Amino acid sequence: MEKVPAVGTIAKIPAVGLGTWKASPGEAAEAVKVAIDAGYRHFDCAYLYHNENEIGAGIRHKIKEGVVRREDLFVVSKLWCTYHEPSLVKMACKKSLKALKLDYLDLYLMHWPMGFQAMEDLVIKGLVKDIGVSNFNHEQLERLLNKPDLKFKPITNQIECHPYLTQKNLIRFCKAKDVSVTAYRSLGGSREGTDLLNNPTIRRIANHYNKSCAQILIRFQIQRNLIVIPKSTNPKRIQENIQVFDFELTENHMDEIMSLNRNLRLATFPTTESHKDYPFHIDF
Ligand SMILES: NC(=O)c1ccc[n+]([C@@H]2O[C@H](COP(=O)([O-])OP(=O)(O)OC[C@H]3O[C@@H](n4cnc5c(N)ncnc54)[C@H](OP(=O)(O)O)[C@@H]3O)[C@@H](O)[C@H]2O)c1
């Protein structure tokens, strides 16, 4: 097996994780196996992605092979909003656990900002180690943190973040509240994505360090102290995306990348736009 690179942790979470949205059931198990061999220990899953069964198969395979132990891994899943009714939360969590073939999750995220209390019970019952949120704006996060009966603080807010949507204000807010930030769509995504991987500034900086554009985009987030979860099912790219701990972007390069911001949000969840808790009607 290849030497596992050292990967830092932020708020208990390994800094680079494997994104799994759009990893088809046919490719997900193999992607997980390749990723574990390449040194990934953090897997970002969700009930909504319809591939937790296969991801679980990949994880189980590597545990059986003796390559990793369960406790070496940081497995995240997410509660989709059709299960926010308190009576459904435990059932939804158990569904994900069963598919992933695990006794517990390291982190369970509320995928979309609606309802939280029933998630806390999962920690008490030992089904999940920690809970977090996703796509929360600062008002929603503040409201949650101010709940007088809050038992467990969310350890992360998983949000869209890349050079075209740098999220300066929301990140500053989360950090001030001691909530880590996990950056999703850090490469600009795929089909509905952007030209981020071909952006001339990113390309020039990549050439300077003899790295790929994807590695620059991932390293950029790590140097902002964010957790980052690039998705790939391609073995070469899975390996490439975690080889980001052997170089450092200068302050000037970081500033240059930050200046690409154009507040361009790619994941807008348009079907929920009219909901009262839709998070993207305010600036951050
Ligand atoms: N909480 C939420 O609401 C939310 C929303 C969106 C995403 N997420 C999570 O965040 C993860 C990442 O976001 P994302 O999947 O939307 O987009 P992303 O990671 O920005 O981009 C993934 C795309 O980039 C390609 N890619 C990966 N590595 C590459 C490389 N080194 N060079 C060139 N292309 C590369 C992938 O193709 P190949 O697979 O062919 O390599 C895929 O098409 C998701 O998978 C999911 O786990 C969460």
Side-chain angles (χ1 to χ4, degrees):
M1 198 186 79
E2 269 186 37
K3 192 171 173 290
V4 175
V7 178
T9 54
I10 296 165
K12 315 179 194 175
I13 310 178
V16 178
L18 185 73
T20 63
W21 183 54
K22 285 198 178 155
S24 71
E27 15 176 60
E30 200 47 41
V32 167
K33 290 184 211 164
V34 171
I36 288 178
D37 285 344
Y40 288 74
R41 296 295 178 261
H42 169 187
F43 295 89
D44 184 73
C45 316
Y47 171 77
L48 189 70
Y49 302 163
H50 303 296
N51 54 13
E52 289 190 320
N53 209 17
E54 292 71 21
I55 291 169
I59 289 175
R60 177 166 279 197
H61 183 94
K62 283 293 160 189
I63 291 177
K64 264 197 176 156
E65 266 189 352
V67 176
V68 282
R69 297 164 303 170
R70 169 65 186 95
E71 56 270 34
D72 299 328
L73 302 177
F74 193 91
V75 183
V76 183
S77 185
K78 312 187 191 83
L79 177 77
W80 186 237
C81 42
T82 44
Y83 292 95
H84 281 175
E85 198 57 43
S87 63
L88 300 178
V89 170
K90 188 172 168 201
M91 190 263 286
C93 177
K94 283 192 152 178
K95 252 185 174 175
S96 283
L97 283 172
K98 187 168 178 223
L100 289 163
K101 293 163 256 303
L102 300 175
D103 300 330
Y104 67 91
L105 294 169
D106 295 275
L107 176 62
Y108 201 35
L109 300 182
M110 171 153 283
H111 209 148
W112 198 240
M114 300 151 196
F116 194 74
Q117 205 165 340
M119 304 249 316
E120 296 182 312
D121 294 338
L122 301 176
V123 182
I124 294 165
K125 293 195 174 89
L127 294 180
V128 315
K129 298 269 185 209
D130 275 293
I131 44 186
V133 296
S134 180
N135 298 305
F136 272 45
N137 65 34
H138 84 285
E139 286 177 2
Q140 292 166 327
L141 189 56
E142 173 118 77
R143 220 176 299 135
L144 176 63
L145 294 173
N146 287 342
K147 261 173 42 130
D149 55 346
L150 186 76
K151 292 195 205 85
F152 299 102
K153 200 175 153 175
I155 66 164
T156 201
N157 187 12
Q158 184 179 116
I159 57 173
E160 177 177 344
C161 189
H162 44 73
Y164 294 161
L165 182 70
T166 49
Q167 300 267 29
K168 241 179 161 173
N169 289 331
L170 184 52
I171 291 171
R172 191 181 304 122
F173 181 85
C174 290
K175 287 192 173 166
K177 301 288 178 187
D178 206 22
V179 173
S180 72
V181 173
T182 303
Y184 75 67
R185 203 147 296 177
S186 57
L187 308 178
S190 52
R191 222 165 354 117
E192 71 282 40
T194 62
D195 62 344
L196 207 44
L197 283 163
N198 286 313
N199 176 286
T201 303
I202 302 292
R203 185 155 294 287
R204 176 171 43 77
I205 294 174
N207 289 343
H208 176 87
Y209 293 94
N210 204 13
K211 289 281 175 184
S212 71
C213 289
Q215 287 169 322
I216 299 300
L217 295 171
I218 295 164
R219 180 74 206 180
F220 167 65
Q221 303 295 17
I222 289 171
Q223 286 187 215
R224 300 177 78 199
N225 247 325
L226 306 193
I227 298 141
V228 56
I229 48 172
K231 176 265 173 186
S232 181
T233 47
N234 174 290
K236 191 180 146 287
R237 293 195 282 274
I238 290 173
Q239 284 158 4
E240 178 184 318
N241 294 348
I242 202 169
Q243 301 300 322
V244 289
F245 295 94
D246 55 355
F247 73 109
E248 194 171 337
L249 297 166
T250 62
E251 223 175 290
N252 281 348
H253 284 145
M254 287 295 291
D255 290 345
E256 243 190 294
I257 301 174
M258 281 300 280
S259 73
L260 297 175
N261 183 46
R262 43 177 104 148
N263 294 327
L264 176 68
R265 192 180 292 284
L266 301 166
T268 56
F269 299 83
T271 53
T272 61
E273 242 172 65
S274 56
H275 192 281
K276 68 175 175 48
D277 293 325
Y278 185 76
F280 307 140
H281 287 319
I282 61 170
D283 263 4
F284 70 97

